[in-house]
Amino acid sequence: MNADSFAGYLHEGEVWLAKQEYKKAFDAYTEAWQRKQTADIAKKSYSAAIHFEPVEKAVNPLLLWLTSHPDDNATRFFLAAAYQNADHNEVAIQEYEKILESTPDSSSLLN
């Protein structure tokens, strides 16, 4: 595998995730993230980390992404849903409100 290629690590993470080897998947996604930061890698990292970390730590890749991409409402919606699924409703509401502030006509939030 080319050491500079994020795609190889991304695919490795997907294989580990499919095998339910969540820590190995997270490690592979971390390697991918170090080579290229994307919302997709942040989401995949969360999806692995949530199996062995509390939600407060598992969301770190999402928070890091949103720090530099605050208008990425798709990732913010993913983050809000992650908080909601973990019964962190107050934080979820805050994230949903941020989306509504930037896109008040967002029909997905009204459902």
Side-chain angles (χ1 to χ4, degrees):
M1 177 177 345
N2 181 347
D4 294 327
S5 173
F6 81 98
Y9 290 105
L10 185 61
H11 293 306
E12 179 184 350
E14 291 169 356
V15 169
W16 288 124
L17 196 64
K19 292 182 174 192
Q20 298 181 346
E21 293 279 352
Y22 302 114
K23 179 69 171 94
K24 290 179 181 179
F26 179 79
D27 291 344
Y29 292 140
T30 299
E31 289 292 331
W33 178 265
Q34 291 174 353
R35 286 154 179 79
K36 183 173 184 175
Q37 293 81 44
T38 69
D40 185 50
I41 295 172
K43 291 174 187 176
K44 289 177 185 292
S45 293
Y46 163 81
S47 295
I50 195 62
H51 292 280
F52 63 91
E53 294 283 7
V55 70
E56 297 84 3
K57 286 188 78 174
V59 297
N60 282 342
L62 302 170
L63 295 173
L64 185 59
W65 174 258
L66 288 169
T67 297
S68 56
H69 301 87
D71 296 331
D72 181 350
N73 285 333
T75 300
R76 189 166 305 281
F77 190 86
F78 185 94
L79 173 63
Y83 281 133
Q84 188 174 1
N85 289 337
D87 291 326
H88 286 63
N89 295 324
E90 290 300 318
V91 186
I93 289 168
Q94 292 171 8
E95 295 302 328
Y96 288 128
E97 287 175 344
K98 289 177 187 176
I99 297 169
L100 278 174
E101 287 172 12
S102 66
T103 55
D105 296 330
S106 180
S107 62
S108 61
L109 292 177
L110 301 175
N111 291 328

